[in-house]
Amino acid sequence: MKNMMKSKRYALLLATALTVTTVLAGCGGGKSAGNVAAGDSGAGSTGDPGKQVTISHYTIDSEDRTFIEKLIPDFEKAHPNIKVKVEKAPYEQFDSKLQTLIAGGNSPDVTSHYGYGGFAEYYNKDMLLDLTDLIKEDGFKAEDYNIPENLMKIYTVNGHTYGIPVNMYVTLMLYNKDMFDAAGVSYPPSDYEDKNWTFDRMVEDAKKMTLVSDDIAKTQYGVDFTWAERDMRPLYFGAEPYSEDTWTNGGVPSETHFDSPEVIAAYHKLFDLVFKDKVSPTSEWSKSVAGQNGDPFVAGKIGMSIGGSWNLAGANDFPFKVGVAAVPWGGNDKVRSTLYVDPLLILKDSKHPKEAFEWIKYLMTTEVQEKSIELSGGNPPVNTEAAEVYYKHFDGIDPEDVKKVYEGAVKYGYESYNHLITNYSQINDMFINELQPVETGHKTLEEVMPVIQKKVTEIIKR
Amino acid sequence: MSTVKATRPLGPASRPRRRIKPVKIASFTALLLTTFLMLLPLFFMVSTSLKSKREMLKFPPTFLPESWAWSNYTDIFETLQFGTLYKNSLIIAGFSVFGTLLSSALVAYGFARYRGRGNNFWFILLLSTMMLPYPAIMIPQFVLFSKMQWIDTFLPLIVPAFFGSAYNIFLLRQFFSTLPEELFDAGRMDGCGELRMWRTIALPLSAPALATVAIFAFIYSWNDLLTPVLYLSSSDKFTLPVGMASLTSSRFRIPPWHLLMVASVLAMVPIVTLFAIAQKQFVEGIVLTGIK
């Protein structure tokens, strides 16, 4: 009896809840959920010439990403039927907001993989619009925008193009000229063809600059080689942890080799910098010196630092003289630099893909790409003509060096795994967690790598 | 009670009675040390907020700024549209506090003063909503508000506060239950309606509880990051936490920690102020209920 009453109450409650939801949902007045902007009545992709449509560009809320707002007025003048609205989120919340926007039927039209997740993740979640037909219809040619053909290939899967590259970051070496001068070591070369510039020579140079003292203020290290994502690092020594087919089938590797002797040996070489040669700081030291997000190099405590070319953008603020150099040769004749090519993507749920593509093309023109360098505070363009302006952007750094390093990096570069492998944010988190005890010296690589191998396999199958 | 006279010598002569027990000295020292430790981050926040960008990068960090960059406090208004963000946050938090107080107090009053069938069932149901984590309702709620065309407005951040929150209702119900029934009987005899009794008897007597709820609601709304990130997209509508998170958003530049610290110092002001005001309420409330 009591149970029945309870279930009756439950039914009543459910009914009330349902009514409330329907009534509230009805308030939308039948307008489509996606159309937030006024004056947008869902003209669709047919591109009614007289009708005005609003497209939204979703990006990270930081100056080097939101500069596109300043490009909108000129674009709207040239395309009176298209309005562009910029939607923003802080870096940490970028992915979750995007997922919610799409799930909530409010999908933006244009974005990039600026969060933790990469292209392959978007592709495998079926979030992206296949641009092939749009490109054909429009007659878009990469060469008209000075985009190198090999960069276009990165975001092409099985002959279908899903993204147009817009910015290209490479891996390079920044070095502290003051520290080199003090130790009497000659500057490293910016030329990738210089065969003397090897990993071992880098270690020798680093030894001369390393000074470990009880006084933490006096301690300094020769090199910081936290190069690229953790699973990417073996590649530099010629060991390949993911099977070949990963790059042709949308980022799902059929096999991984994280417990192979080659991969383990490669990691050993890197950890030797910290624990054997002692020319690199431990992660605890780095954190205590530079804070959670900081970089001990910026604090002037590191001689050479391998990192993304975005580090250049801060170079004007460094409290010391800085130079750029090539990443030394580590044993892989083909790959020495990680490339981070950011594409512009149109999302599958976009209601105005044609207009979105117009906007993308506008952002790719040489003139706009050149303007973007200044507006963004130094974002490297993929447009090779605009790149000439980029090379000259940094005070106190020889443009010739920047150019050499960039061109060498493209020649010896490989697109970052984080854009190319599926479920990458989970793989990355797992790597950070599992390698932590090795970085602090509490576990050996031989203990950890089989575990990583097992976990990677599980994550990829998800 | 022994008054603390730390300078008094602790010789054997002063042993009887008024002696300060070593335990007390030890605990006092411990407390002093912890206070110092607690205040240290706060001190560094203020100190960093007055450093130049170059000095902020220095290691070891300077304790006090070498040159006091007071201009940081004006710069923040340019780099971050700080005024707009502050105003938005204040508007949203203000309405949220008002909404929470109004709805929660009303519902709590009902739960505390009425006995009806299924009273407990509804109350348990209400409390069980506390167990629902926000991410679980995030997407359905987003769909709902987007269908109502509320995206990129303050409404999704304000309106839910007017529908009560389980924790605050629970807190107030417990407080209302302690009010003596005689007070309400007297009210009834004087011909008071229920709403009026709620307003003129229950609410004024519950100042401390209401102050607590107000502080909770304010802090919750003031610190909330996820909801504003989801619902707001244009910069002139952003709240303080969104703007501050964006300050360190760039993967490509050294985050301007000094400016972030300026923002943090200024963001603390309303909470400290509110706490100071509410604390007075606390004390007065306790005194009043004590007399009754």
Side-chain angles (χ1 to χ4, degrees):
Chain A
M1 184 65 199
K2 211 173 177 193
N3 263 341
M4 237 178 79
M5 249 169 72
K6 250 191 189 159
S7 65
K8 248 189 192 167
R9 275 184 205 132
Y10 240 108
L12 182 73
L13 176 77
L14 249 167
T16 326
L18 281 175
T19 327
V20 171
T21 332
T22 359
V23 168
L24 288 178
C27 290
K31 262 197 175 178
S32 151
N35 303 336
V36 193
D40 178 354
S41 51
S45 57
T46 41
D48 218 338
K51 225 158 198 178
Q52 199 176 63
V53 298
T54 302
I55 56 165
S56 56
H57 185 137
Y58 178 57
T59 193
I60 289 182
D61 188 20
S62 67
E63 281 170 78
D64 46 22
R65 292 290 174 216
T66 51
F67 70 91
I68 47 167
E69 288 176 330
K70 295 178 191 141
L71 299 167
I72 294 174
D74 281 348
F75 174 77
E76 287 181 346
K77 220 177 276 164
H79 302 82
N81 62 324
I82 311 175
K83 285 236 166 298
V84 183
K85 185 173 178 267
V86 174
E87 295 187 7
K88 301 175 266 193
Y91 179 62
E92 295 291 325
Q93 285 76 26
F94 183 84
D95 288 325
S96 54
K97 178 163 178 173
L98 182 62
Q99 299 292 347
T100 317
L101 283 174
I102 292 175
N106 251 320
S107 170
D109 298 283
V110 180
T111 190
S112 186
H113 54 193
Y114 291 142
Y116 285 107
F119 171 80
E121 200 162 324
Y122 288 17
Y123 171 79
N124 286 313
K125 280 186 181 156
D126 203 19
M127 285 159 64
L128 303 175
L129 186 80
D130 180 358
L131 305 177
T132 321
D133 291 342
L134 267 178
I135 290 174
K136 211 180 278 167
E137 209 180 302
D138 186 88
F140 174 89
K141 278 200 198 71
E143 69 236 44
D144 293 345
Y145 297 84
N146 304 312
I147 308 171
E149 207 43 56
N150 59 330
L151 295 186
M152 281 298 289
K153 277 193 202 125
I154 299 173
Y155 299 111
T156 299
V157 184
N158 297 327
H160 292 264
T161 307
Y162 290 87
I164 312 282
V166 62
N167 289 124
M168 180 179 60
Y169 302 89
V170 302
T171 306
L172 41 73
M173 174 185 272
L174 286 185
Y175 59 93
N176 184 330
K177 283 187 171 170
D178 296 354
M179 212 185 269
F180 270 79
D181 292 342
V185 184
S186 59
Y187 297 152
S190 57
D191 185 0
Y192 270 81
E193 306 305 333
D194 188 335
K195 298 283 178 234
N196 290 321
W197 185 224
T198 62
F199 186 79
D200 295 331
R201 192 184 132 196
M202 178 195 78
V203 175
E204 288 313 308
D205 285 357
K207 276 182 186 156
K208 290 175 202 151
M209 286 182 282
T210 303
L211 190 105
V212 180
S213 147
D214 287 339
D215 181 0
I216 193 166
K218 282 190 187 131
T219 301
Q220 59 178 45
Y221 288 96
V223 64
D224 185 3
F225 208 100
T226 37
W227 179 70
E229 272 64 29
R230 287 165 176 76
D231 57 342
M232 185 112 196
R233 293 174 195 170
L235 189 63
Y236 171 75
F237 298 100
E240 290 187 29
Y242 294 99
S243 59
E244 267 304 310
D245 55 2
T246 311
W247 327 116
T248 51
N249 63 358
V252 189
S254 57
E255 274 178 74
T256 54
H257 313 287
F258 282 100
D259 50 359
S260 77
E262 294 82 29
V263 171
I264 291 178
Y267 278 115
H268 265 299
K269 283 204 107 170
L270 285 178
F271 281 112
D272 279 352
L273 291 175
V274 181
F275 297 113
K276 207 177 114 216
D277 302 319
K278 297 190 195 304
V279 291
S280 283
T282 60
S283 53
E284 293 110 317
W285 187 87
S286 295
K287 271 181 191 156
S288 64
V289 167
Q292 196 71 25
N293 281 335
D295 181 349
F297 178 76
V298 174
K301 299 280 151 192
I302 305 282
M304 298 171 268
S305 171
I306 313 281
S309 53
W310 48 81
N311 290 344
L312 268 175
N316 299 350
D317 286 325
F318 293 166
F320 49 84
K321 283 206 289 299
V322 65
V324 285
V327 178
W329 179 76
N332 188 336
D333 287 324
K334 289 203 189 94
V335 183
R336 281 161 73 178
S337 180
T338 309
L339 305 181
Y340 299 87
V341 177
D342 286 338
L344 287 170
L345 314 161
I346 299 183
L347 292 167
K348 205 168 199 181
D349 294 339
S350 163
K351 296 195 175 56
H352 312 292
K354 256 198 164 160
E355 288 77 4
F357 195 65
E358 278 303 314
W359 166 241
I360 290 181
K361 279 196 313 185
Y362 172 74
L363 293 176
M364 300 310 304
T365 54
T366 307
E367 190 202 345
V368 174
Q369 287 247 301
E370 280 175 358
K371 221 193 265 177
S372 306
I373 299 164
E374 202 54 52
L375 288 175
S376 63
N379 282 7
V382 290
N383 188 319
T384 46
E385 207 179 309
E388 296 293 332
V389 176
Y390 171 78
Y391 301 143
K392 297 184 193 113
H393 183 77
F394 307 99
D395 299 343
I397 301 180
D398 186 358
E400 205 44 45
D401 279 342
V402 184
K403 187 177 176 168
K404 269 192 206 156
V405 163
Y406 243 84
E407 287 174 351
V410 173
K411 192 172 171 197
Y412 295 101
Y414 199 90
E415 181 61 17
S416 173
Y417 285 177
N418 74 327
H419 298 154
L420 301 178
I421 293 172
T422 194
N423 294 336
Y424 197 82
S425 33
Q426 289 157 41
I427 294 180
N428 194 39
D429 283 347
M430 185 274 292
F431 254 93
I432 292 173
N433 291 335
E434 295 297 326
L435 273 183
Q436 179 85 29
V438 183
E439 282 165 17
T440 52
H442 289 92
K443 269 190 182 169
T444 65
L445 281 162
E446 282 73 13
E447 285 174 282
V448 167
M449 293 320 290
V451 180
I452 288 183
Q453 166 67 13
K454 205 172 129 248
K455 292 201 170 169
V456 166
T457 318
E458 279 165 17
I459 294 173
I460 284 163
K461 278 195 196 130
R462 270 176 208 163
Chain B
M1 289 292 263
S2 61
T3 41
V4 182
K5 278 187 185 168
T7 46
R8 209 170 72 150
L10 290 168
S14 58
R15 183 160 286 172
R17 265 201 193 178
R18 278 195 161 183
R19 192 178 76 112
I20 303 165
K21 286 192 192 113
V23 182
K24 220 161 212 177
I25 296 175
S27 57
F28 192 73
T29 326
L31 278 177
L32 209 67
L33 264 171
T34 359
T35 313
F36 179 72
L37 277 176
M38 296 288 192
L39 285 177
L40 202 62
L42 213 65
F43 169 81
F44 263 103
M45 178 170 90
V46 179
S47 155
T48 310
S49 79
L50 290 165
K51 287 177 189 171
S52 68
K53 187 164 189 179
R54 222 157 242 258
E55 196 183 335
M56 162 198 93
L57 296 176
K58 263 199 181 157
F59 187 87
T62 44
F63 206 62
L64 282 170
E66 282 164 359
S67 55
W68 298 70
W70 292 104
S71 59
N72 287 351
Y73 278 78
T74 47
D75 286 352
I76 187 93
F77 286 89
E78 283 146 35
T79 22
L80 203 64
Q81 292 182 287
F82 197 70
T84 315
L85 298 180
Y86 217 88
K87 195 186 78 206
N88 292 345
S89 269
L90 276 177
I91 291 172
I92 293 170
F95 276 109
S96 293
V97 169
F98 177 71
T100 309
L101 281 178
L102 188 75
S103 59
S104 300
L106 205 57
V107 176
Y109 184 74
F111 272 122
R113 305 238 62 93
Y114 293 106
R115 292 275 152 265
R117 277 225 310 210
N119 208 324
N120 279 329
F121 168 76
W122 291 108
F123 194 60
I124 287 164
L125 192 76
L126 176 86
L127 287 186
S128 61
T129 59
M130 273 163 69
M131 283 191 281
L132 270 181
Y134 182 67
I137 58 161
M138 194 165 88
I139 290 176
Q141 203 182 55
F142 185 85
V143 174
L144 174 72
F145 287 138
S146 97
K147 290 221 159 129
M148 293 164 82
Q149 310 266 311
W150 280 6
I151 304 302
D152 214 15
T153 69
F154 290 165
L155 291 172
L157 308 175
I158 291 172
V159 173
F162 283 83
F163 288 84
S165 79
Y167 180 75
N168 293 326
I169 292 173
F170 174 71
L171 199 117
L172 288 172
R173 185 195 100 127
Q174 298 312 96
F175 199 88
F176 287 152
S177 304
T178 62
L179 297 177
E181 191 60 38
E182 289 79 9
L183 279 174
F184 295 91
D185 286 341
R188 244 171 242 131
M189 273 202 236
D190 289 343
C192 224
E194 280 299 334
L195 261 182
R196 198 161 153 211
M197 283 202 288
W198 171 70
R199 201 171 53 79
T200 54
I201 301 175
L203 287 191
L205 289 177
S206 314
L210 292 174
T212 314
V213 169
I215 291 179
F216 282 153
F218 188 86
I219 291 179
Y220 180 79
S221 162
W222 192 253
N223 289 343
D224 190 16
L225 174 63
L226 191 56
T227 345
V229 160
L230 283 184
Y231 289 109
L232 306 175
S233 280
S234 358
S235 15
D236 59 334
K237 297 203 180 80
F238 278 170
T239 62
L240 213 47
V242 183
M244 281 162 74
S246 296
L247 258 189
T248 55
S249 251
S250 174
R251 286 181 293 164
F252 309 112
R253 271 181 237 180
I254 308 158
W257 294 117
H258 57 313
L259 291 183
L260 191 73
M261 290 307 133
V262 174
S264 308
V265 171
L266 294 175
M268 237 173 54
V269 173
I271 293 194
V272 172
T273 318
L274 185 76
F275 191 76
I277 298 169
Q279 202 180 27
K280 204 177 147 226
Q281 276 297 324
F282 269 132
V283 178
E284 269 175 19
I286 290 162
V287 171
L288 278 175
T289 40
I291 292 167
K292 300 249 152 77

